[in-house]
Amino acid sequence: MHTVWKGSISFGLVNIPVRMFTATEERDIRFRQLHKECNTPIKYTKMCPHCQREVDASEIVRGYEYEKGHFVMINDEDLEAITPETRRAIEILDFVDLSEIDPVYFDKSYFLSPQDTGEKAYALLRAAMGQTGKIAIAQVTMRNRQSLAVIRLYEHCMMLETIFYPDEVRPVNQVPALPEATIALAENELKMATELIGNMTVPFDPAKYTDEYRSELQKMIEKKLEGQEIATAPTVARTNVIDLMQALKESLASTAGTSPNPVKIEPEPTPAAAKPKPSRKRATSAEPTAAPKQMPAQSEAMTTTKKLRRKKATPV
C-alpha cells in the first residue's frame, strides 16, 4: 500500500507515530473517450475564454467567486498562514459510542499503522478502545484541509474515517414530497411489512454481494478481446526539443549548400540510356557541387523514371 500521510495520534500526553493508507478503492470499469476517426484518446486542455488560448499551470491562480465575475485572490501564503500547527497530528477530542453517529456523516476510510517507534503505544490504545467499545472523535489536517474524523477498530487495525461537519449534511426538510411522519397506516399492512423484514433478516456477509453490472461488463470486454474487436491509437512521435533544433539547423545548412559534407543526389538513368559504369575516380574539390536550384529538376527526373518503369511493366 502507498502511504498517503505520516504523523501521530495525540492521545492526552501520549503521541503515537502512525502512517495512513487509503482503505477503499473504486473498482468501476472506466472508459476513455477517443476520437472516432483515429481512435486517439481525447485530451482536455485548460483554455482561457478571454485570451482564446491554452494556459500553462504556472499562469493559474486561485480565486474565490463572491459575486458573479468578481473574485477574491488567494495565494499559497494566505493558506499557509491559517493552516493549523497540528497539521501532522490526529488530535483526539472525545470518545463516543459508534451507534450515536449516523452513517450519513461518514466520508472516506483510511487504515492507520504504527511507525517504527509507535508499536507499543498503538497496541495500548487499540486494546483500550476494544475493552471500552468506544470510538474516538478527532481532528486531522490533510492537504491543507482540516477534517473531522473518527478512529475506530476494524479487525485488529485502527481505522480513521473522515466525517462531514454538521453544516455539510443537508437538512431533511429540504427533501421534497416526503410524507408526514404521523401518516395513518393500516395495522395489518404494517404487521405484514414487519414480518417480511424479519424473514429477510440475516447476518451481514459482505462477500455475499457482488457488482453484477461490472461482472457482465468485464465479460463483454473479454469477449471482444477474444474476437479481436480492438482499436489501436496511432503512435504519436515524441521529439526532443534539442534534437528538433539540431535537425532544423542541419536541414537549413544542407539546403543552403553550406553543409560540411553535402550529399549529392544523382538522378536515376532513363530506360533508354545505358547504365553507366561505376567510377572509381574520387571527386575533387574543383568539381562543382549541386546547387539547391537543381533539386526540383532532379526530383522531376526521378518521378519521370518511375512513371516510365510502371508503363513498361504494364502488359499490352
Side-chain angles (χ1 to χ4, degrees):
M1 286 187 179
H2 174 68
T3 302
V4 297
W5 187 89
K6 285 184 178 181
S8 63
I9 299 175
S10 176
F11 173 45
L13 298 179
V14 178
N15 280 343
I16 308 172
V18 293
R19 295 174 295 173
M20 185 182 295
F21 307 88
T22 304
T24 60
E25 60 179 341
E26 293 185 4
R27 301 296 297 272
D28 289 343
I29 297 176
R30 302 185 181 275
F31 299 108
R32 295 287 302 274
Q33 291 188 331
L34 312 178
H35 186 198
K36 186 176 180 180
E37 292 186 7
C38 61
N39 300 319
T40 302
I42 299 298
K43 286 186 177 181
Y44 294 92
T45 58
K46 295 181 179 180
M47 297 289 296
C48 174
H50 175 74
C51 299
Q52 290 294 310
R53 66 177 180 86
E54 183 179 353
V55 295
D56 186 72
S58 61
E59 302 178 81
I60 300 175
V61 295
R62 299 184 188 89
Y64 173 75
E65 189 173 18
Y66 64 93
E67 289 181 6
K68 186 67 175 178
H70 295 78
F71 302 90
V72 174
M73 308 309 295
I74 306 294
N75 55 41
D76 293 340
E77 290 74 17
D78 296 328
L79 297 177
E80 189 69 24
I82 63 172
T83 301
E85 293 297 329
T86 57
R87 54 185 163 186
R88 283 298 174 186
I90 303 170
E91 184 180 0
I92 294 179
L93 307 175
D94 301 295
F95 286 91
V96 301
D97 292 325
L98 177 60
S99 59
E100 296 178 321
I101 304 177
D102 192 278
V104 72
Y105 284 95
F106 289 93
D107 182 22
K108 186 73 175 176
S109 302
Y110 300 91
F111 291 130
L112 297 177
S113 74
Q115 297 192 50
D116 296 336
T117 59
E119 292 184 0
K120 185 174 181 180
Y122 180 97
L124 177 64
L125 178 58
R126 181 182 62 186
M129 291 178 64
Q131 286 188 12
T132 60
K134 302 294 183 181
I135 67 171
I137 303 296
Q139 280 187 328
V140 58
T141 301
M142 296 186 296
R143 304 181 187 92
N144 291 329
R145 183 180 185 273
Q146 190 177 61
S147 299
L148 194 62
V150 301
I151 300 175
R152 65 182 185 90
L153 301 186
Y154 180 77
E155 298 180 3
H156 63 287
C157 177
M158 283 200 291
M159 172 178 283
L160 180 140
E161 299 198 48
T162 56
I163 62 176
F164 294 104
Y165 285 98
D167 60 352
E168 294 178 309
V169 179
R170 293 177 176 175
V172 175
N173 57 20
Q174 293 182 1
V175 182
L178 278 181
E180 294 293 334
T182 57
I183 188 172
L185 298 172
E187 187 66 28
N188 60 336
E189 293 176 348
L190 180 59
K191 182 180 179 181
M192 292 177 62
T194 54
E195 288 179 357
L196 179 60
I197 292 175
N199 294 338
M200 297 180 65
T201 300
V202 295
F204 176 63
D205 179 13
K208 174 183 175 181
Y209 310 100
T210 58
D211 189 339
E212 298 294 338
Y213 173 75
R214 190 180 73 199
S215 300
E216 293 300 320
L217 184 57
Q218 185 65 46
K219 291 177 183 178
M220 180 188 69
I221 292 173
E222 291 173 359
K223 287 181 180 179
K224 283 184 173 288
L225 287 173
E226 291 172 0
Q228 297 299 309
E229 291 187 43
I230 58 176
T232 305
T235 303
V236 180
R238 295 184 179 182
T239 57
N240 186 282
V241 175
I242 299 176
D243 293 340
L244 177 61
M245 290 298 296
Q246 185 65 27
L248 289 172
K249 289 178 181 178
E250 292 177 2
S251 299
L252 288 173
S254 63
T255 54
T258 58
S259 175
N261 296 305
V263 179
K264 294 180 65 176
I265 302 177
E266 299 292 343
E268 295 183 13
T270 60
K275 184 176 181 181
K277 295 181 179 180
S279 175
R280 297 179 181 271
K281 185 179 181 181
R282 184 173 299 178
T284 62
S285 58
E287 293 179 354
T289 303
K293 62 182 180 179
Q294 293 176 331
M295 294 298 292
Q298 294 171 351
S299 299
E300 184 177 354
M302 295 170 67
T303 304
T304 304
T305 301
K306 292 178 180 179
K307 290 181 178 179
L308 288 171
R309 285 178 177 174
R310 285 197 297 268
K311 186 175 181 181
K312 186 176 181 180
T314 304
V316 179

